[in-house]
Amino acid sequence: MRKPAAARPAKKAKARTGTGTRPIAQPAEPAMDVAVGRRIRDLRRVRQFSLETVASRTELSIGFLSQIERGLSSPSLRVLATLADVLGVGIAALFGASPSSDGGSDQVVTRGLQRPELKLWRTGVSKQLLSPASADNRLNLFLVHLEPGGSTGDELYTHDGEEAGLVLEGEMMLTVDSETWSLKTGDSFRFASRRPHRFSNPAQDAKAVVLWVNCVTGAG
């Protein structure tokens, strides 16, 4: 399995001031990094994995993993998929959402205003979880938003499972193995997630929206 290269730690942005007296509020995206990092740390501790163990299995540095867990670095989708594999869960389990008290892992319905969202804000990719949140789920449904120019990166990556999708809006470039397709509204796809892949939005002025299904086959 091809492992992703460790991303560079996110640089802390300096607060700008408008009049010199009141600082402009910082964007909310770093709070997402903190929530995801906390969820990764909790899953690692539940499984009684040390940072050293996870580092050796992912080929990521201990320092980089520590920064992710503390919300100091924004991981790419490739890194999150690799961590999910090692932790024995689907990527939906990293959203930081807990099953609701009215259904737990048996929850059937997810309301439109209650969708957990994972914003990979540095790469222009965000994923809304449409299916009920549970670390035990094997089948998960997402609404993926690709900002103009957004992508999973230049490197192909792999993870456990199988996936399929339907382009609802815009255009998406999908690479699986050595072949690349341009998918437009109404086009669909399916492939085994162990096949090296990547995807992106080639448009510079329009968002792409994709209904995406992930089925985890060997986690846990």
Side-chain angles (χ1 to χ4, degrees):
M1 168 175 158
R2 185 172 182 173
K3 304 295 184 181
R8 294 182 177 178
K11 293 183 178 179
K12 293 184 177 180
K14 294 182 178 180
R16 295 180 299 165
T17 57
T19 63
T21 57
R22 298 185 63 183
I24 298 175
Q26 292 299 300
E29 286 87 348
M32 176 65 66
D33 294 339
V34 172
V36 172
R38 184 179 298 116
R39 181 60 173 154
I40 291 171
R41 181 196 61 199
D42 291 345
L43 287 167
R44 175 178 63 79
R45 290 178 175 175
V46 166
R47 283 150 181 75
Q48 299 183 336
F49 289 166
S50 65
L51 278 173
E52 291 79 2
T53 297
V54 176
S56 66
R57 295 183 182 183
T58 60
E59 297 182 3
L60 299 171
S61 72
I62 294 174
F64 180 50
L65 290 173
S66 177
Q67 288 186 325
I68 291 175
E69 289 193 357
R70 290 181 290 153
L72 300 179
S73 189
S74 182
S76 67
L77 187 57
R78 297 191 307 274
V79 169
L80 289 178
T82 300
L83 287 170
D85 264 8
V86 169
L87 295 171
V89 297
I91 197 169
L94 305 184
F95 275 50
S98 299
S100 67
S101 59
D102 61 355
S105 61
D106 294 326
Q107 184 182 347
V108 174
V109 173
T110 298
R111 301 295 182 184
L113 297 178
Q114 298 174 338
R115 298 172 183 170
E117 185 172 20
L118 180 65
K119 289 186 177 181
L120 305 171
W121 57 285
R122 293 187 181 279
T123 59
V125 179
S126 66
K127 303 182 73 169
Q128 290 183 341
L129 180 60
L130 306 183
S131 48
S134 172
D136 298 326
N137 286 354
R138 292 292 177 261
L139 181 67
N140 288 289
L141 181 64
F142 301 93
L143 196 61
V144 176
H145 294 258
L146 294 169
E147 297 298 329
S151 79
T152 57
D154 295 331
E155 294 184 29
L156 301 176
Y157 70 104
T158 67
H159 53 95
D160 177 70
E162 188 173 359
E163 50 201 287
L166 169 67
V167 179
L168 300 178
E169 179 183 328
E171 180 182 4
M172 182 182 78
M173 299 298 294
L174 174 66
T175 298
V176 180
D177 294 324
S178 59
E179 191 168 358
T180 299
W181 297 267
S182 174
L183 304 177
K184 300 184 184 300
T185 301
D187 293 339
S188 54
F189 59 89
R190 172 200 159 275
F191 59 92
S193 305
R194 287 297 182 191
R195 298 174 66 183
H197 58 280
R198 65 178 296 272
F199 58 90
S200 64
N201 177 6
Q204 297 303 312
D205 57 358
K207 179 192 291 187
V209 181
V210 185
L211 183 66
W212 208 297
V213 179
N214 280 100
C215 180
V216 181
T217 58

